[in-house]
Amino acid sequence: MNKVAIVIGATGLVGRSLVQQLAASDTITEVITLTRRADNLANSKVVNHVIDFDRMDDYKDLFQGEYLFSCLGSTLKQAKSIKKQRIVDLEYQYQAAKLAAENGVKHYLLISSSGADAQSKVPYLQMKGLLEKQVSQLPFEKISIFQPSILKGQRPEPRPAEIIGNWLMAIICLIPGLQKYSPIKAELLAKKMLQVSQEQQTALQFFTLQEAFPR
């Protein structure tokens, strides 16, 4: 049976590692990456399509496969405003999930955030919570939502604030009860996503840091 995996956010910290792991997996026959700019991984199983995320409906036929891995995301610094960040982190994400569901994709796997809450006063956590709520209502056979804290890994463009944040959080998370906010390596999250895509049996499952990577 052909097992095609679609990845959006394939050039990000988790997405890049995930694409490599999917391409190396015997259970995946093809990896489709949808990106803003050409990004060709030297692997015959990976097919890259450059798309305009503002016109995603034009690319509906590309959202066909067994899995959709959603690793898309931005920062306030990259987006320049909360309004523009919301377009990427909520609107693009939901539209991609909706197209995949309409095309019969069976399993949707989303990277959200620790603390995601549709009622949060924090804009970032609110948009993540709203996205979780919206995609959970789509007719996928299985939905997996991952809620990591700060991600660790080698980015093409270093983020000084994130480096400092990782260092501080590693110390803060020594305090009992705060372990769920521990930084996590991107490749470990990608590995867990691949594992869950092969093993999850329930229709909807959430994975916090402690549940996915027990200490």
Side-chain angles (χ1 to χ4, degrees):
M1 180 183 296
N2 291 334
K3 294 273 183 114
V4 177
I6 309 154
V7 182
I8 60 172
T11 60
L13 192 59
V14 179
R16 189 168 295 279
S17 178
L18 176 62
V19 170
Q20 293 172 345
Q21 293 186 42
L22 288 168
S25 172
D26 293 336
T27 62
I28 303 297
T29 55
E30 183 178 35
V31 183
I32 297 174
T33 61
L34 306 178
T35 60
R36 284 185 176 275
R37 294 176 293 275
D39 186 71
N40 296 314
L41 183 69
N43 190 296
S44 60
K45 287 170 68 172
V46 180
V47 179
N48 176 240
H49 294 277
V50 177
I51 71 171
D52 181 350
F53 281 83
D54 289 319
R55 299 170 51 208
M56 214 177 302
D57 282 348
D58 294 348
Y59 308 93
K60 181 175 180 177
D61 289 347
L62 298 179
F63 289 85
Q64 299 192 54
E66 183 82 7
Y67 314 98
L68 172 60
F69 292 87
S70 190
C71 308
L72 193 63
S74 64
T75 64
L76 184 57
K77 181 178 179 181
Q78 290 172 325
K80 310 297 185 185
S81 71
I82 290 294
K83 182 178 179 180
K84 291 183 178 179
Q85 187 179 21
R86 184 185 177 92
I87 291 173
V88 176
D89 286 48
L90 178 57
E91 295 179 17
Y92 286 171
Q93 292 259 44
Y94 177 70
Q95 183 63 10
K98 183 172 177 288
L99 292 175
E102 290 173 353
N103 280 346
V105 170
K106 294 180 180 179
H107 194 165
Y108 174 69
L109 301 100
L110 169 69
I111 298 178
S112 182
S113 173
S114 177
D117 182 352
Q119 304 303 317
S120 176
K121 301 296 185 183
V122 179
Y124 178 77
L125 298 180
Q126 182 190 68
M127 68 180 76
K128 292 297 185 183
L130 285 171
L131 178 62
E132 290 184 358
K133 183 177 181 180
Q134 291 177 2
V135 298
S136 295
Q137 297 170 357
L138 292 173
F140 293 104
E141 289 185 11
K142 299 176 187 177
I143 297 174
S144 310
I145 297 178
F146 300 82
Q147 299 175 322
S149 183
I150 297 174
L151 297 170
K152 296 193 297 183
Q154 189 65 43
R155 295 185 185 273
E157 297 179 3
R159 299 178 183 174
E162 194 169 81
I163 294 172
I164 295 171
N166 279 329
W167 181 76
L168 289 174
M169 288 303 294
I171 295 175
I172 292 172
C173 290
L174 295 175
I175 301 173
L178 296 182
Q179 287 83 2
K180 66 179 179 179
Y181 297 111
S182 299
I184 180 175
K185 290 183 179 180
E187 60 266 29
L188 290 180
L189 177 54
K191 182 178 180 180
K192 183 65 177 182
M193 294 179 78
L194 175 57
Q195 177 188 344
V196 168
S197 73
Q198 305 302 309
E199 298 179 357
Q200 181 171 317
Q201 300 299 317
T202 56
L204 173 63
Q205 193 164 352
F206 288 81
F207 297 89
T208 65
L209 182 68
Q210 287 176 305
E211 291 168 337
F213 305 96
R215 307 266 165 164

